[in-house]
Amino acid sequence: MPTEATQSAPWSARAKELAGQNGALGALLILAIAMAILSPVFLTTQNLMNVGTQAAVVAILAFGQTFVIVSAGIDLSVGSLAALSAIVTGYSATNLGLPAWVAILLGIATGCAAGLVSGILISYGRLPAFIATMAMLSVGRGLALVLSNGIPVRQPSQVAFFGSTLGGWLPVPLLIMVILGVLAAFILNRTYLGRCMYAIGGNEDAARLSGINVARQKLIIYALSGTFSAIAGLVLAGRLVSGQPQAASGYELDAIAAVVIGGASLAGGKGRAFGTLIGALVLAVIRNGLNLLNVSSFWQQVVIGIVIALAVLTDTLRRKSA
Amino acid sequence: METLQAFRGLLQALSKRCRSFANAAGVSSLATKRPGPTRTSRALHVLLGENGAGKSTLIKCLAGVHQPDEGVITVDGDPVVLHTTADAEKLGIATIHQEFNLVTELSVAENVMLGRQPRVAGIIKKAEMNKTASATLAKVGLHLDPRTPVSSLGVARQQLVEIAKALSLDARILIMDEPTAALTDDEVDRLLSLMDELRAQGVALIFISHHLDEIRRIGDRVTILRDGESVTTVPASTETDELVRLMVGRSIDAQYPRVRGEVGETLLKVEGLSRKGSFDDISFEVRAGEVVGLAGLVGAGRTEVLRAVFGADRFDRGTITVGGRSRSHSGVERGIAQGLGLVPEDRKQQGLVLGASVADNLGLVKLKDASKGGIVNRGKLADLARRAIDSLRIRTPSAKATVRNLSGGNQQKVVMGKWLLADPTVLLLDEPTRGVDVGAKVEIYNLINDMTQSGRGVLMASSDLPEVIGICDRILVMAQGRIVGELTHEQATQDAVMALAVQERESTRAH
């Protein structure tokens, strides 16, 4: 039996495998080429950095969402938790006068804790993930409004770093996105937790009977998603230089879209960090390109909806013909 | 006469090459030879072959799911091309797959009439639908309220609903893929007599089974497939040994090659294990070098006991001791830490991550051991997987192949392999050879021998009585959640086991 053949595949085959995983990478390239032809501004360094910056918040949320979706769950609370975490940071620093680094850690801890609560509701309360995280979506947004009284909260100057530009060209959001992307890929591929995500998403019963503590792993998975949400919230706050209680509203759907465009299955067991990154970039390129072409934001929503459907459709058709 | 003709024509489909499909099934190097055409003038034809021999692929060609690369399917003497399942349906070919195509939330009547409900302006005429369905259900001997939801029926009656649905579509050729695999003996008897009736009514039947005794009882002729090729067609009355030899392509020395050795110290001790409504006061031991069987009727509590011993389900009272370590709580991790492993009864639902690779599945139990500080040692896992594939002779194109594409026997070897890598002290097996062909069965029995010869113990539940008697050294017979008797393998006969299994039931009924 040719067991060795697939293990020592040349890198060209690996690249093909990477590109062939789903249509997302191809779609991104086609989109980029089309935009480059239609708008002379698109390929400028300045604009590409803008695209990266715009993609960053959704991508970071989507990395967390990838963990959840690979394990056959869903996290609707990521946008709310991003806002709540940023408000907690701003409130701690501005209203309570805590040092900036403590405030930032508190913000991240808030996202982590909220994710943990969702995880407890799902693992031990036996709530469907959809319901538990929808409840957390509402609670998170509500707490953000309560804490801020509904008005923007001033952020400590250190938070602005998350939205700044290094050396006059490298946006920090882009940097954080890449670092967290590599971290997400590492978690998914190389860690016990990551392999458990695939096993739980593929067949929860088989995972449990193989000795995986499914309940505990789920707690960690949702806490991780909450933590990624909090970091996304800080990046967003850094760009806006304030904590907006209504920030990142509806971003949970963008995050889910990015993960799905990236080739993950909502049924679980399938998905990659690289795919998710491509998915987030596809969304950002469409938004940026349509802006450059002066297409109204109303039409942008229509286009994005169609792209999501097309992405998943081509993926389904490719798999059928394979 | 018409159906006989149809049937004869249909069987020429056996002359199909099924290379490309076999590729998809992961047996590419095997299924490339040309099967010879097969004809018969009788109307119940059995397809027999090991898993991966090409039976399912052939059936899928006949059902219009796959298209053959070469060859012709003839119905009523006319060559036909079946592009879709609808084409096959139009010709009166109906297939009953192992996984039913029923909408369990809908009523029996709606399922039988699905897509063809009588209606006026889109509104379903329920009374008429239920009446028509009732008439069809009566044909298969199913007398129940057609408004009953399918989800409330057991496997056997769901199967009858499937057959009724096929008949209501005017099926003249009924293909059944291992219809008896999930049935109890009584249910099998009823199904076989229904098949007999259908044959008398002029329905041609193609029947796949691994149970050689059923073939003798019901079949007319048997076509044996091996490695994608039709080996021969013989009368159903052919001796069992001969059928096995034809199927495997070599003679199997013994169907149950149990090697019995010295029995050592007690490895597993279960005391007073009880759970209200499931099992009561279960106590037994498994010693080193021993295979202990749990026999009994379906619903006697065998699976429940195995799962509780392993730690997968809770129990109210009792202790489980393995190698001096006791436990009175459930928890899979606790069971594994004690040195237990469980091969569950349903490999697709509970044993495998079907969409994942062979290597990933094999490494599932060892995943934690192969991780340090939460980071997985991938080289070590790959080594383990390679070792398991070699030593268990798992037939797979590669370690990275998706487990879903392997045959049943090889899938089961993957489930066993993931536990053998963890080297359990006592391995618990639940229906270890269900839906597995004769050749793979023997390989699994040899793995059991390896375990006991290296001083481990095996506890095995099985509905297959000849297997329990052939493999186990001691048999515990269960009835209604209790152990009602114990037989050594010298004492064990099918009659002795059944007498115990049934006797208790009657005596409790008398109370």
Side-chain angles (χ1 to χ4, degrees):
Chain A
M1 288 295 138
T3 37
E4 297 304 312
T6 46
Q7 278 165 5
S8 55
W11 75 268
S12 60
R14 290 209 48 173
K16 207 172 153 192
E17 182 190 309
L18 210 61
Q21 287 275 314
N22 61 78
L25 191 56
L28 180 62
L29 290 176
I30 291 169
L31 273 174
I33 292 167
M35 290 306 172
I37 295 168
L38 290 172
S39 163
V41 186
F42 181 78
L43 274 187
T44 58
T45 315
Q46 178 62 45
N47 186 60
L48 288 181
M49 291 299 162
N50 272 341
V51 172
T53 308
Q54 283 167 9
V57 173
V58 168
I60 295 167
L61 291 175
F63 291 141
Q65 187 77 252
T66 307
F67 302 140
V68 176
I69 287 179
V70 164
S71 64
I74 191 95
D75 190 348
L76 298 177
S77 68
V78 294
S80 290
L81 294 187
L84 175 62
S85 303
I87 295 287
V88 166
T89 298
Y91 183 86
S92 309
T94 310
N95 298 34
L96 302 181
L98 295 173
W101 67 271
V102 175
I104 289 170
L105 282 183
L106 272 177
I108 294 175
T110 303
C112 180
L116 203 59
V117 171
S118 295
I120 290 169
L121 289 173
I122 292 162
S123 280
Y124 299 108
R126 301 284 163 93
L127 283 189
F130 190 97
I131 304 297
T133 59
M134 190 166 67
M136 186 53 73
L137 176 152
S138 189
V139 170
R141 185 67 66 187
L143 286 178
L145 287 163
V146 168
L147 216 53
S148 65
N149 254 327
I151 49 170
V153 175
R154 218 162 57 82
Q155 292 289 0
S157 59
Q158 285 86 342
V159 168
F161 169 78
F162 293 114
S164 64
T165 304
L166 291 182
W169 64 275
L170 179 63
V172 173
L174 194 68
L175 188 66
I176 295 177
M177 173 179 83
V178 171
I179 292 171
L180 290 183
V182 171
L183 179 65
F186 182 80
I187 290 173
L188 283 167
N189 293 321
R190 299 293 182 98
T191 66
Y192 178 72
L193 175 65
R195 301 322 293 167
C196 287
M197 291 172 189
Y198 286 97
I200 293 169
N203 186 343
E204 198 173 316
D205 273 345
R208 183 179 299 113
L209 289 177
S210 299
I212 291 172
N213 188 331
V214 172
R216 188 193 304 152
Q217 299 303 328
K218 278 190 180 173
L219 290 190
I220 303 173
I221 290 166
Y222 284 90
L224 206 53
S225 175
T227 307
F228 273 58
S229 304
I231 297 171
L234 287 172
V235 169
L236 190 58
R239 283 176 50 206
L240 305 172
V241 205
S242 73
Q244 312 265 1
Q246 292 291 5
S249 205
Y251 276 33
E252 56 279 351
L253 297 182
D254 271 15
I256 294 168
V259 176
V260 170
I261 291 174
S265 159
L266 287 181
K270 195 166 165 281
R272 298 160 61 105
F274 183 73
T276 296
L277 176 65
I278 301 295
L281 288 174
V282 165
L283 292 177
V285 166
I286 293 171
R287 288 225 168 86
N288 172 266
L290 295 178
N291 276 336
L292 293 180
L293 299 176
N294 282 322
V295 177
S296 88
S297 64
F298 301 155
W299 277 108
Q300 291 186 16
Q301 294 201 31
V302 176
V303 172
I304 285 173
I306 292 171
V307 167
I308 292 170
L310 279 180
V312 181
L313 196 64
T314 47
D315 197 29
T316 316
L317 292 177
R318 288 161 72 100
R319 224 170 307 140
K320 229 179 206 173
S321 66
Chain B
M1 197 58 219
E2 192 200 340
T3 39
L4 292 188
Q5 271 248 310
F7 189 57
R8 178 184 307 161
L10 195 59
L11 282 169
Q12 285 181 6
L14 288 177
S15 67
K16 234 40 37 7
R17 258 197 197 189
C18 31
R19 181 193 330 221
S20 57
F21 313 115
N23 262 334
V27 286
S28 55
S29 61
L30 302 171
T32 53
K33 291 157 223 151
R34 174 188 285 275
T38 320
R39 289 163 182 276
T40 179
S41 54
R42 298 294 295 272
L44 200 154
H45 206 107
V46 180
L47 291 180
L48 186 63
E50 292 188 86
N51 285 329
K55 299 173 309 237
S56 295
T57 308
L58 180 60
I59 276 190
K60 281 179 180 161
C61 288
L62 298 183
V65 177
H66 292 328
Q67 280 70 47
D69 297 341
E70 288 176 28
V72 198
I73 300 170
T74 11
V75 175
D76 293 339
D78 301 323
V80 293
V81 182
L82 306 172
H83 290 295
T84 63
T85 49
D87 290 346
E89 226 167 71
K90 260 182 239 151
L91 288 164
I93 304 172
T95 311
I96 308 222
H97 296 283
Q98 278 172 280
E99 281 88 27
F100 300 147
N101 288 314
L102 295 174
V103 186
T104 51
E105 298 310 313
L106 294 182
S107 75
V108 169
E110 279 171 298
N111 269 286
V112 170
M113 306 292 289
L114 202 63
R116 297 167 294 118
Q117 297 98 325
R119 52 193 178 246
V120 181
I123 297 161
I124 292 175
K125 295 191 275 183
K126 282 210 163 170
E128 190 185 325
M129 175 179 77
N130 290 338
K131 214 175 123 198
T132 318
S134 282
T136 318
L137 291 169
K139 279 193 212 165
V140 298
L142 194 56
H143 301 282
L144 48 70
D145 186 340
R147 291 169 298 182
T148 316
V150 163
S151 57
S152 69
L153 304 182
V155 180
R157 296 211 284 177
Q158 289 195 9
Q159 191 172 55
L160 291 176
V161 173
E162 277 262 21
I163 298 174
K165 185 176 163 188
L167 293 180
S168 80
L169 283 160
D170 290 323
R172 296 177 301 151
I173 299 159
L174 193 58
I175 304 169
M176 305 180 84
D177 192 358
E178 288 191 51
T180 58
L183 302 186
T184 62
D185 286 352
D186 278 357
E187 292 164 347
V188 170
D189 283 343
R190 249 172 281 149
L191 179 67
L192 294 188
S193 46
L194 171 65
M195 288 168 71
D196 224 12
E197 274 170 47
L198 292 175
R199 168 167 53 182
Q201 289 165 22
V203 178
L205 292 138
I206 297 179
F207 176 55
I208 291 187
S209 176
H210 285 134
H211 293 276
L212 302 174
D213 53 325
E214 287 168 13
I215 293 166
R216 187 90 58 83
R217 274 164 66 189
I218 186 86
D220 296 311
R221 296 185 69 77
V222 183
T223 291
I224 290 150
L225 297 185
R226 190 202 312 151
D227 301 342
E229 180 182 13
S230 92
V231 179
T232 181
T233 297
V234 294
S237 55
T238 308
E239 284 298 314
T240 304
D241 289 350
E242 175 67 5
L243 288 177
V244 170
R245 193 189 61 75
L246 287 168
M247 186 163 52
V248 184
R250 57 180 192 276
S251 66
I252 289 182
D253 310 313
Q255 242 176 310
Y256 303 109
R258 173 85 183 112
V259 181
R260 293 190 165 83
E262 200 86 333
V263 170
E265 50 168 350
T266 300
L267 296 178
L268 166 68
K269 186 168 189 177
V270 174
E271 290 164 294
L273 198 68
S274 304
R275 184 172 75 218
K276 214 165 185 294
S278 299
F279 47 82
D280 190 26
D281 198 22
I282 302 289
S283 300
F284 62 88
E285 292 182 356
V286 176
R287 294 189 283 268
E290 196 180 34
V291 179
V292 176
L294 283 176
L297 302 173
V298 170
R302 293 167 305 179
T303 296
E304 288 78 0
V305 167
L306 274 188
R307 287 179 59 98
V309 169
F310 176 57
D313 294 333
R314 52 161 206 93
F315 49 91
D316 301 330
R317 271 178 293 116
T319 51
I320 295 151
T321 311
V322 188
R325 287 207 268 180
S326 291
R327 143 177 92 85
S328 46
H329 294 284
S330 62
V332 172
E333 282 167 294
R334 292 196 183 105
I336 292 175
Q338 279 184 308
L340 295 172
L342 171 73
V343 174
E345 72 178 322
D346 185 335
R347 65 177 159 268
K348 286 183 181 163
Q349 296 295 326
Q350 302 160 347
L352 294 168
V353 183
L354 280 176
S357 71
V358 172
D360 280 349
N361 272 284
L362 283 169
L364 216 45
V365 177
K366 289 294 282 180
L367 193 57
K368 203 164 211 173
D369 288 346
S371 307
K372 218 180 236 170
I375 294 167
V376 175
N377 183 341
R378 297 200 296 181
K380 188 173 169 189
L381 279 180
D383 279 348
L384 287 175
R386 218 169 297 136
R387 218 200 297 157
I389 289 170
D390 287 346
S391 64
L392 276 72
R393 294 199 290 145
I394 297 169
R395 274 197 269 173
T396 173
S398 84
K400 288 186 177 175
T402 309
V403 154
R404 191 193 308 278
N405 294 336
L406 301 193
S407 68
N410 283 300
Q411 287 184 350
Q412 188 70 349
K413 282 196 259 174
V414 172
V415 183
M416 300 243 341
K418 106 183 153 180
W419 283 110
L420 294 180
L421 286 175
D423 194 19
T425 310
V426 176
L427 187 59
L428 315 174
L429 303 171
D430 200 354
E431 303 289 354
T433 64
R434 177 182 282 175
V436 166
D437 62 71
V438 179
K441 270 184 189 176
V442 171
E443 290 184 69
I444 288 172
Y445 299 146
N446 282 327
L447 292 174
I448 293 175
N449 282 334
D450 291 347
M451 288 242 11
T452 54
Q453 278 172 331
S454 63
R456 313 298 198 280
V458 172
L459 175 64
M460 170 173 124
S462 172
S463 301
D464 187 342
L465 264 187
E467 169 179 285
V468 173
I469 292 165
I471 294 300
C472 299
D473 305 324
R474 237 165 2 106
I475 299 167
L476 307 170
V477 184
M478 287 191 68
Q480 311 215 319
R482 295 170 148 274
I483 293 177
V484 293
E486 179 175 334
L487 299 165
T488 63
H489 84 101
E490 291 94 352
Q491 298 166 326
T493 61
Q494 297 207 29
D495 290 345
V497 174
M498 285 316 288
L500 280 169
V502 178
Q503 174 199 354
E504 173 71 7
R505 179 187 263 188
E506 280 164 358
S507 70
T508 47
R509 204 178 280 159
H511 280 301

